[in-house]
Each structure stands twice: as structure tokens, then as C-alpha cells.
């Protein structure tokens, strides 16, 4: 579905400057075009722009309300969480991107399974989040470039 979203276009251009595996490392695999995802759990008004690469988890814009794509909220759909599969993870794309700046976007699915523990993790400094594994250079570089490109910082006090 061809809808131009200025910030999503910026993110796509940014991805062209980073290592090919960086999108997988941070858990934000962009689709070439907005699309209606095939899961029953996905909201009817949602246009999906990315997936994490695991268990069908995907990120979509909620298109109801404003016709301005820059004001579309972002929802995460976790199809395997049958009771509450959808969580709004940003009032817009920039706020969503800021949410994942500290730990990437793959881990955000844990909000559906253990909200309190995941929020505690998100509130930790990066040095405390990384225990036994050091993120790859492409992980750090990709998140750093996203922060710089959009002039955003990680959320504080979730």
C-alpha cells in the first residue's frame, strides 16, 4: 500500500547507510511498503511497517483519526499473547523509535508478557541492561544513527 510517511522514508534511507544485518540486530525489519498484516490480532485500522523477526510480532500505524501520517500512533501486535495482543508503543513513529533506543525493538514484545519487568529493564542504564552479551557494533551503530537522525533520546521513567 503506497502511503508516504516522511519519517518512515527517512528511516528507510538511513537503513541504506548501515550494515545489512543491523535491522535484524535491533529487531526492526522494515517492510518495503505499508501493508495490512494477516493476523487476526492486528487492529483493522492498522498499516504495518515493520516486524521484529520473531513469532509474528509487528509494528503498525493506527490510521484512524488524523489523516496526517506524522500523527499516527504506533501499535505493537504480539499475536501469541492471545488475551492482550496489542500495545500502543508511541504516539507517533519518533516516540516509538525513542522507546527502543536503549535495548532495541525485539525485546519490546516482552511488554505483552511481563510488563512490569520489561519496564524495569527499559528504565535501567544501558550498562545494566547488557549482562552477559555485548551488543554487536551494528546494533550500537544503528541505534546511534536513529537517535542522531531523528534528534531523539531514550524514554525516561516509563
Amino acid at each position: 500500500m503506497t502511503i508516504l510517511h516522511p519519517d518512515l522514508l527517512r528511516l528507510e534511507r538511513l537503513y541504506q547507510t548501515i550494515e545489512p544485518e543491523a535491522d535484524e540486530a535491533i529487531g526492526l525489519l522494515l517492510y518495503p511498503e505499508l501493508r495490512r498484516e494477516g493476523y487476526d490480532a492486528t487492529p483493522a485500522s492498522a498499516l504495518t511497517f515493520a516486524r521484529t523477526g520473531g513469532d509474528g510480532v509487528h509494528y503498525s500505524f493506527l490510521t484512524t483519526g488524523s489523516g496526517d501520517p506524522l500523527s499516527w500512533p504506533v501499535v505493537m501486535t504480539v499475536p501469541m499473547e492471545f488475551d492482550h495482543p496489542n500495545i500502543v508503543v508511541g504516539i507517533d513513529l519518533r516516540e516509538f523509535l525513542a522507546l527502543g533506543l536503549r535495548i532495541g525493538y525485539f525485546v519490546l514484545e516482552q511488554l505483552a508478557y511481563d510488563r512490569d519487568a520489561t519496564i524495569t529493564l527499559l528504565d535501567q542504564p544501558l550498562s545494566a541492561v547488557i549482562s552477559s552479551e555485548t551488543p554487536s557494533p551494528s546494533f550500537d551503530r544503528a541505534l546511534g544513527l536513529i537517535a542522531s537522525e531523528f534528534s531523539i533520546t531514550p524514554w525516561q521513567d516509563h
Side-chain angles (χ1 to χ4, degrees):
M1 179 168 295
T2 305
I3 293 178
L4 298 179
H5 187 291
D7 283 344
L8 191 54
L9 293 172
R10 283 177 69 185
L11 187 58
E12 288 171 349
R13 282 193 303 273
L14 179 66
Y15 269 35
Q16 294 171 6
T17 69
I18 58 179
E19 296 86 354
E21 69 279 359
D23 58 351
E24 189 171 338
I26 65 172
L28 192 61
L29 303 157
L30 300 178
Y31 286 123
E33 290 187 347
L34 296 176
R35 58 190 270 179
R36 300 220 183 264
E37 198 62 62
Y39 289 92
D40 290 340
T42 306
S45 66
L47 292 175
T48 303
F49 64 88
R51 60 188 170 83
T52 64
D55 294 329
V57 177
H58 54 280
Y59 297 106
S60 307
F61 295 114
L62 293 177
T63 61
T64 57
S66 170
D68 177 12
L70 289 174
S71 65
W72 288 344
V74 174
V75 65
M76 173 179 63
T77 302
V78 182
M80 300 306 291
E81 174 46 69
F82 303 110
D83 293 332
H84 305 286
N86 295 295
I87 300 170
V88 174
V89 288
I91 62 167
D92 58 23
L93 182 62
R94 288 175 185 229
E95 187 176 75
F96 161 69
L97 292 173
L99 176 63
L101 278 183
R102 187 172 282 134
I103 60 172
Y105 305 92
F106 190 84
V107 158
L108 294 180
E109 85 172 80
Q110 294 306 310
L111 286 166
Y113 300 113
D114 191 344
R115 181 177 170 258
D116 292 338
T118 306
I119 288 173
T120 298
L121 177 69
L122 287 166
D123 283 339
Q124 297 295 314
L126 183 58
S127 59
V129 171
I130 303 165
S131 54
S132 61
E133 288 189 38
T134 302
S136 69
S138 61
F139 179 92
D140 290 337
R141 179 169 152 72
L143 293 178
L145 287 171
I146 289 170
S148 176
E149 175 70 23
F150 291 96
S151 300
I152 55 176
T153 58
W155 286 19
Q156 302 296 317
D157 191 21
H158 297 81

